[in-house]
């Protein structure tokens, strides 16, 4: 298959996302095809064609907004906070500044990657229906993973070590109950749960297992907060700081 055929097969669900991501990393023709779509938009000045898909029951969302920043990188909102703008398809799809949050083996990484590839390919072919499988998995993840656990490292751990133990062939209610129990057992605490100022950042220990939460403390006159965790593999303290 050529690059366009490979992308179409992935979007139709004929190729799993991990395999396609590996091909994308190894075969420059795929990136070149997608980059060519952006180049044509820049040349003609035509806007990206929008599409709608369901993000939850009865809720519609427009096409992935990130693709629009490829033609005007400085319009990317993150620029005002010091983040580099998306200036290439590869930078957007690999999310190179924060690769852990764009791991396609996780629900959040997969839904973003699929949505962005789909939004780009949609510019040249509108015949392929949007595949809801990744959005469904993402919605399920949000339903079973407590907010205090959320974070790149913790989601990767859950995706690799907990979800595979309870496949989607199980009854949904039984699967949800089992996964929630497994998460509670894995992410332990000596006292309470972290009340994150920003997004969750539950760390892993040197052995790759979730560290144990031990407490928090305000810093710098209340301008920041430190969260303390114990690495069970060697007893060391892991400190996570967040700012208001």
């Amino acid at each position: 298959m050529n690059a366009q055929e490979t992308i179409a097969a992935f979007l139709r669900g004929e190729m799993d996302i991990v395999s396609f991501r590996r091909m994308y990393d190894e075969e420059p023709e795929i990136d070149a095809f997608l980059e060519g779509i952006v180049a044509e938009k820049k040349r003609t000045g035509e806007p990206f064609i929008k599409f709608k898909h369901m993000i939850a029951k009865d809720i519609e969302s427009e096409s992935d907004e990130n693709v629009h920043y490829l033609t005007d990188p400085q319009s990317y909102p993150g620029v005002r906070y010091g983040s580099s703008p998306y200036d290439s398809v590869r930078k957007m799809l690999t999310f190179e500044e924060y690769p852990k949050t764009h791991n396609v083996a996780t629900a959040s990484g997969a839904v973003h990657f699929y949505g962005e590839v789909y939004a780009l390919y949609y510019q040249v072919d509108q015949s392929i229906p949007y595949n809801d499988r990744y959005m469904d998995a993402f919605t399920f993840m949000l339903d079973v993973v407590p907010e205090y656990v959320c974070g790149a490292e913790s989601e990767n751990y859950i995706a690799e070590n907990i979800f595979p133990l309870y496949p989607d062939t199980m009854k949904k209610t039984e699967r949800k109950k089992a996964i929630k129990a497994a998460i509670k057992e894995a992410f332990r605490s000596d006292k309470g749960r972290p009340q994150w100022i920003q997004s969750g950042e539950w760390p892993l220990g040197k052995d790759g297992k979730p560290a144990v939460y031990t407490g928090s403390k305000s810093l710098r006159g209340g301008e920041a907060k430190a969260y303390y965790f114990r690495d069970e593999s060697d007893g060391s303290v892991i400190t996570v700081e967040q700012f208001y």
Side-chain angles (χ1 to χ4, degrees):
M1 293 189 292
N2 61 28
Q4 182 170 358
E5 292 169 339
T6 300
I7 296 168
F10 161 60
L11 295 177
R12 286 195 298 265
E14 298 166 6
M15 182 184 305
D16 73 89
I17 196 167
V18 174
S19 297
F20 178 77
R21 172 59 195 272
R22 187 179 301 113
M23 292 181 69
Y24 176 76
D25 289 339
E26 297 174 354
E27 300 180 14
E29 295 82 3
I30 297 176
D31 181 70
F33 177 83
L34 296 173
E35 195 68 63
I37 294 172
V38 178
E40 182 64 12
K41 292 291 183 181
K42 289 181 178 179
R43 187 186 70 80
T44 62
E46 294 180 1
F48 279 90
I49 304 170
K50 294 185 177 182
F51 67 94
K52 291 184 181 291
H53 62 93
M54 302 298 292
I55 60 173
K57 187 176 182 181
D58 300 326
I59 300 177
E60 286 189 340
S61 174
E62 289 194 343
S63 56
D64 195 299
E65 290 298 321
N66 286 338
V67 298
H68 300 279
Y69 302 131
L70 293 172
T71 55
D72 184 13
Q74 291 303 316
S75 68
Y76 176 56
V79 171
R80 74 185 68 174
Y81 304 110
S83 298
S84 299
Y86 294 132
D87 52 16
S88 71
V89 169
R90 183 169 294 281
K91 186 170 184 178
M92 181 182 75
L93 292 182
T94 60
F95 212 58
E96 61 185 33
E97 289 187 48
Y98 309 101
K100 288 182 179 179
T101 63
H102 234 54
N103 178 358
V104 297
T106 68
S108 59
V111 73
H112 284 101
F113 183 85
Y114 179 87
E116 289 162 345
V117 174
Y118 185 92
L120 286 165
Y121 188 80
Y122 191 79
Q123 308 309 306
V124 296
D125 181 2
Q126 295 87 47
S127 67
I128 301 176
Y130 185 91
N131 191 328
D132 289 324
R133 63 181 294 189
Y134 301 109
M135 184 58 71
D136 291 344
F138 178 63
T139 302
F140 180 81
M141 185 273 293
L142 292 178
D143 194 24
V144 298
V145 179
E147 189 173 351
Y148 66 81
V149 171
C150 287
E153 286 192 340
S154 55
E155 190 188 341
N156 287 349
Y157 178 86
I158 292 168
E160 294 172 2
N161 298 280
I162 295 180
F163 275 19
L165 301 177
Y166 310 99
D168 56 15
T169 52
M170 295 175 62
K171 290 183 179 180
K172 190 172 183 179
T173 53
E174 293 179 0
R175 185 179 184 227
K176 288 173 63 174
K177 183 178 180 180
I179 290 176
K180 285 183 176 182
I183 290 173
K184 185 177 181 180
E185 174 63 27
F187 292 83
R188 295 181 293 117
S189 169
D190 286 346
K191 183 180 180 181
R193 300 295 185 184
Q195 303 296 314
W196 301 104
I197 297 172
Q198 301 171 12
S199 299
E201 295 183 72
W202 197 298
L204 303 182
K206 295 181 179 66
D207 58 357
K209 296 180 180 179
V212 178
Y213 177 64
T214 60
S216 63
K217 179 181 179 181
S218 293
L219 301 175
R220 300 176 182 84
E223 294 181 357
K225 195 173 184 179
Y227 303 84
Y228 302 105
F229 296 80
R230 182 176 65 253
D231 184 342
E232 290 287 80
S233 65
D234 62 5
S236 62
V237 176
I238 301 173
T239 303
V240 177
E241 288 191 21
Q242 291 190 345
F243 298 85
Y244 286 98

